[in-house]
Amino acid sequence: MRHRLLPGGLRIRLVAAFALVAALAALSTGALTFREARTGILQQSQDTVIRLVRNRIDTLAWGLTFPPTQQDLAALAANVAEADPTRQWRVMATYRGLNATSAPQDPFTELTPALRTAATTHTPTVFQRVTVAGRSDLVVGMPITFASADHKRAATGLTVFVVVPQTAEQAYVQALVSAAERATLPALVLAVLLALLAARGVLRPVRDLRQATRRIAEGRLDTRLAVQGSDELADLSHTFNETAAALEESVAELRRMETKARRFAADVSHELRTPLAAMSVVTDILDEDAAGLDPDTAAAVRLISQETANLARLVEDLMEISRFDAGAAALHLDDIDLAESVQRTLIARGWQNHVDTRLPEPAALRGRVDPRRLDVVVANLIANALRHGAPPVRLSLHADPRPARDGAHGTERWAVIEVQDTGPGIPENVLPHIFDRFYKSDTARTRTQGSGLGLAITAENVHLHGGTIRAANHPHGGAQFIVELPLPELREEERS
Amino acid sequence: MSRVLLVEDDPAVREGARLALRRQGHEVAAAETGEDGLAQLRSFQPDVMVLDLMLPGIGGLEVCRRVRADSQLPIIMMTARGDDVDIVVGLETGADDYVVKPVQARVLDARIRAVLRRVEAGPSPEGAAPAAETHGELRIDRAALTVTCGGAAVPLAPSELRLLLTLSAAPGQVFSRQQLLEAVWEHSYHGDARLVDACVKRLRTKMGEPPRQPRYIQTVRGFGYRFHSPR
């Protein structure tokens, strides 16, 4: 499992992307809508004000006397102010230094000098939006002109300024802003939800794929994904299934070939066994009578007898290896005295005077092992030492308590068997292959007495017991084989 | 000089074994099939039967079973190593011993002689004249080599008899399987403990032992067997 920089990985990234897109969409939509709406609202209010003011002035202008007095201006301002149905307008009429406002003592602070100048120098209406202390006002400046006979407008110098509070418009705009704000939050929440949904849709197939891959890695090659829909993920699942099927087919084919090869080896050995059985049973007759034959015939007869025995052993070893390969090798455990068992192995083969043994006292080291397989292990190692090493061959056996494996408490008993010779040792290039089948240490491939399977069978027998075997060269010369066997506690089973 | 009935389907093996056994001083009759072997039982009256397990027609196991149905003739099975299940079943069916093919003539001869020795008188208890011993309902006559249980004769094959005699010679003493293999089967190599287990099983069955609570031949877990004499 690789460490991911982002917790949650793909899900977090999807949610972030969705939220970002939603926020951007909501904000940009809000901003554009706001701008357009605000412009529209203000434009409309402005047009309305100008129309009203113009209409009022048009109707009042006829009654104006020139040059107007302060009272005329005040009356004009009051009159214009009355044009507003909401009575919120403040009006100021100016004429060459004279000012009059609709509301008495109105300082008319909203009127900027720039607007005043613009209103007196331009003939068309001017207006400006002014914000004072958080309040937005529209200030309109309208010079009063006369139409002359040549349709040219002449300024009279009389200008009317109107301050229209924009509270309603401000409220509209404020409502727009808050609406945009209010819309953004649900949009974000919705986006996150959608992102989670999308992530789930993507992640579930990905998770299934990961689990399936792991199952395949564990060797369950019949693992397949359920393909839903027809998107890219479904394609990926489909591809995975095809790959798994192809892999399963290849592995099955390999296994079939392997099984075939193994069965062939086993069958060949089996077929060889019957003629060998017939030959083996009569070799004693040949050996007995060889002495009475002429020397050449005697030698030939002894050769046949000897090679029959070798061939029988080779076939027997091949059968044994075939059984290990087929997983048909069974352990027949018995509770035995290991030292006694080792002694018997040596005595049965007449080696007791060729091997220097260091064994525990009788009954000091008992354990459940397969006596026949232990015999094979010890016999093969000693035969190997006598054949390839040089006497004296030393064999030692001792108990070795160890901490229990599998996290269990207490100790486990192990038996350690060491076989050491004083020969030239094992060449370094041979050591890794010493337990290989038919491995010949010299390139000439001369046949030794053994079947070439002895050490391989020895290793298999040790492994069958759950033990280990290793070969090394002793610092003081000679080869050394170390076998370590676990001695399980007596199982509670009735042997009756 | 003993009479050996050899049942073996392969002609070469059959001929080779016949030659070799005759050379070892046995009188040999050979049968090609199980049926033929069973037929020759009456005509030839062998002392021992050497029986190949893998026979065409009725197999070696069936032949063994039929022989055991009414006879305690010593039977040595010939098997190939790896037919493990067959060995156990064969032993439980009543074979006394087995050899693994390919087998050399002197090995086969040694097994035949060993199994025949089992029907001879066993060691008598020190000093005392051989007499019948009584252990509960069990009566063992070491001289006549007969066993009765509750008054009824118990017919025992050579291995079963020798095993019972060995165990009952020292009531209470624990014998390991290896010791019993040496004492009864004379296996000097690492014999197969399953021989002992199968033989004990047969012996208990014939003596009518309750399966869970054997009275006479008791299992000592991890060590072997001992004979218990109820007083």
Side-chain angles (χ1 to χ4, degrees):
Chain A
M1 215 38 206
R2 279 175 306 114
H3 183 69
R4 286 204 291 253
L5 286 175
L6 270 174
L10 196 55
R11 178 176 288 125
I12 288 286
R13 274 183 284 171
L14 270 170
V15 168
F18 269 67
L20 195 66
V21 167
L24 277 174
L27 286 174
S28 55
T29 307
L32 285 170
T33 309
F34 168 76
R35 208 184 65 186
E36 288 303 313
R38 180 171 172 270
T39 309
I41 290 167
L42 294 178
Q43 190 72 50
Q44 193 194 0
S45 71
Q46 184 178 294
D47 290 352
T48 309
V49 168
I50 290 169
R51 200 178 60 246
L52 283 173
V53 172
R54 183 167 290 145
N55 288 349
R56 179 51 62 117
I57 287 174
D58 280 350
T59 52
L60 292 176
W62 302 111
L64 282 178
T65 54
F66 275 83
T69 61
Q70 181 74 25
Q71 284 81 7
D72 291 339
L73 287 180
L76 176 66
N79 241 321
V80 172
E82 280 172 11
D84 172 38
T86 59
R87 297 277 176 268
Q88 285 185 317
W89 290 10
R90 287 159 40 232
V91 184
M92 178 169 79
T94 63
Y95 180 77
R96 298 191 184 175
L98 286 178
N99 295 331
T101 55
S102 58
Q105 307 301 319
D106 190 342
F108 236 85
T109 45
E110 291 85 354
L111 182 57
T112 57
L115 187 73
R116 189 190 276 266
T117 314
T120 48
T121 53
H122 291 81
T123 43
T125 311
V126 292
F127 52 88
Q128 189 181 29
R129 220 174 302 283
V130 180
T131 309
V132 178
R135 257 188 53 228
S136 183
D137 293 313
L138 178 69
V139 184
V140 181
M142 197 177 285
I144 294 176
T145 54
F146 286 124
S148 53
D150 56 2
H151 296 289
K152 286 219 176 119
R153 295 193 160 266
T156 56
L158 177 62
T159 313
V160 175
F161 293 100
V162 182
V163 174
V164 182
Q166 296 271 286
T167 43
E169 289 74 8
Q170 222 176 340
Y172 285 141
V173 170
Q174 198 57 52
L176 272 176
V177 171
S178 57
E181 280 173 351
R182 274 203 303 274
T184 305
L185 194 63
L188 268 178
V189 170
L190 194 65
V192 167
L193 282 176
L194 281 172
L196 288 174
L197 260 172
R200 196 160 148 244
V202 172
L203 286 178
R204 184 187 291 157
V206 169
R207 199 179 52 225
D208 290 351
L209 189 64
R210 193 181 65 209
Q211 284 172 349
T213 310
R214 194 173 294 156
R215 276 202 296 273
I216 291 263
E218 284 167 0
R220 288 149 70 185
L221 300 180
D222 56 345
T223 305
R224 297 288 181 275
L225 289 170
V227 182
Q228 289 159 342
S230 57
D231 56 2
E232 289 83 349
L233 285 168
D235 282 350
L236 184 61
S237 300
H238 195 74
T239 309
F240 174 89
N241 285 348
E242 283 173 350
T243 310
L247 183 66
E248 189 179 18
E249 182 52 39
S250 313
V251 170
E253 180 62 22
L254 282 173
R255 287 204 178 126
R256 271 197 296 276
M257 283 160 67
E258 191 186 31
T259 311
K260 234 161 118 177
R262 281 180 179 170
R263 192 174 303 133
F264 181 72
D267 288 348
V268 166
S269 313
H270 206 97
E271 288 302 319
L272 286 173
R273 206 151 52 162
T274 306
L276 271 172
M279 289 158 73
S280 294
V281 82
V282 295
T283 50
D284 286 343
I285 300 176
L286 298 183
D287 292 341
E288 280 172 23
D289 293 2
L293 302 170
D294 74 81
D296 280 358
T297 313
V301 162
R302 287 200 184 96
L303 185 73
I304 285 176
S305 170
Q306 182 57 49
E307 288 304 305
T308 301
N310 285 343
L311 188 55
R313 187 166 58 237
L314 172 59
V315 168
E316 209 42 58
D317 284 355
L318 271 172
M319 296 284 300
E320 189 75 356
I321 282 284
S322 299
R323 274 192 291 277
F324 281 120
D325 285 348
L331 273 179
H332 299 292
L333 296 174
D334 189 15
D335 223 277
I336 57 165
D337 180 341
L338 296 183
E340 186 193 350
S341 173
V342 169
Q343 290 276 32
R344 285 170 191 271
T345 298
L346 298 182
I347 292 165
R349 290 166 181 78
W351 288 335
Q352 58 271 46
N353 299 324
H354 300 85
V355 180
D356 168 21
T357 57
R358 288 186 205 142
L359 305 174
E361 294 298 306
L365 182 53
R366 296 182 64 86
R368 281 173 67 78
V369 294
D370 183 326
R372 186 184 72 81
R373 295 192 188 280
L374 179 66
D375 175 68
V376 168
V377 167
V378 173
N380 278 345
L381 289 180
I382 299 288
N384 188 66
L386 291 172
R387 193 179 303 137
H388 299 288
V393 170
R394 276 198 293 277
L395 183 153
S396 77
L397 164 70
H398 64 269
D400 182 19
R402 300 178 184 183
R405 295 166 295 179
D406 314 328
H409 291 296
T411 55
E412 277 184 353
R413 292 185 320 130
W414 284 66
V416 179
I417 303 167
E418 289 180 40
V419 174
Q420 201 186 323
D421 63 51
T422 39
I426 306 163
E428 283 302 318
N429 61 329
V430 175
L431 259 183
H433 306 286
I434 195 86
F435 297 110
D436 291 2
R437 299 165 187 191
F438 299 121
Y439 188 80
K440 300 287 191 282
S441 56
D442 51 351
T443 47
R445 292 188 67 87
T446 50
R447 197 161 60 85
T448 56
Q449 272 182 294
S451 66
L453 291 167
L455 285 177
I457 288 175
T458 303
E460 292 280 9
N461 275 314
V462 171
H463 296 154
L464 200 61
H465 281 88
T468 60
I469 182 166
R470 61 185 192 276
N473 285 313
H474 198 267
H476 301 303
Q480 184 183 32
F481 286 84
I482 301 165
V483 172
E484 295 171 323
L485 291 175
L487 300 176
E489 292 307 314
L490 184 58
R491 277 206 318 270
E492 287 299 307
E493 61 170 352
E494 183 64 47
R495 297 187 60 151
S496 54
Chain B
M1 178 70 180
S2 56
R3 299 162 70 80
V4 180
L5 174 57
L6 173 71
V7 186
E8 163 65 60
D9 61 314
D10 185 79
V13 178
R14 195 170 60 241
E15 187 53 26
R18 207 173 58 79
L19 272 173
L21 287 174
R22 221 174 43 206
R23 184 57 91 86
Q24 302 278 5
H26 302 287
E27 193 177 335
V28 186
E32 193 177 344
T33 62
E35 292 88 340
D36 187 19
L38 289 169
Q40 289 199 43
L41 272 182
R42 288 175 202 80
S43 56
F44 183 63
Q45 295 286 320
D47 301 314
V48 61
M49 185 186 223
V50 176
L51 174 65
D52 183 20
L53 264 193
M54 301 288 283
L55 288 173
I58 63 165
L61 288 176
E62 183 56 26
V63 173
C64 189
R65 196 173 290 121
R66 290 193 195 178
V67 172
R68 272 289 167 271
D70 57 1
S71 147
Q72 303 309 323
L73 174 74
I75 299 173
I76 297 171
M77 295 187 301
M78 283 203 292
T79 77
R81 187 175 300 290
D83 311 343
D84 276 355
V85 175
D86 291 350
I87 290 177
V88 173
V89 177
L91 291 170
E92 290 184 352
T93 307
D96 289 279
D97 205 343
Y98 71 94
V99 290
V100 179
K101 289 198 287 187
V103 61
Q104 288 182 301
R106 65 193 118 123
V107 173
L108 185 56
D109 176 56
R111 311 288 347 109
I112 289 171
R113 289 176 196 278
V115 78
L116 289 173
R117 273 195 292 274
R118 279 172 230 167
V119 291
E120 297 161 7
S124 54
E126 291 169 44
E133 319 160 2
T134 307
H135 307 275
E137 293 190 338
L138 198 66
R139 198 164 177 283
I140 303 172
D141 189 331
R142 292 183 179 274
L145 296 176
T146 56
V147 176
T148 59
C149 190
V154 181
L156 293 178
S159 309
E160 297 154 11
L161 180 66
R162 178 63 59 193
L163 180 64
L164 181 58
L165 292 178
T166 305
L167 285 168
S168 63
Q173 186 190 325
V174 180
F175 292 86
S176 74
R177 291 179 176 78
Q178 295 295 331
Q179 281 175 306
L180 292 170
L181 277 170
E182 280 193 26
V184 178
W185 284 269
E186 302 176 45
H187 280 209
S188 58
Y189 63 98
H190 281 279
D192 201 323
R194 291 174 301 167
L195 270 175
V196 185
D197 293 335
C199 195
V200 166
K201 201 166 172 178
R202 274 158 29 202
L203 195 50
R204 283 175 176 166
T205 308
K206 285 188 177 178
M207 287 160 55
E209 293 269 59
R212 285 279 153 221
Q213 289 286 319
R215 290 165 299 175
Y216 302 110
I217 300 173
Q218 300 179 334
T219 307
V220 183
R221 284 222 186 101
F223 284 90
Y225 298 101
R226 86 171 150 225
F227 184 82
H228 173 72
S229 179
R231 290 295 172 207

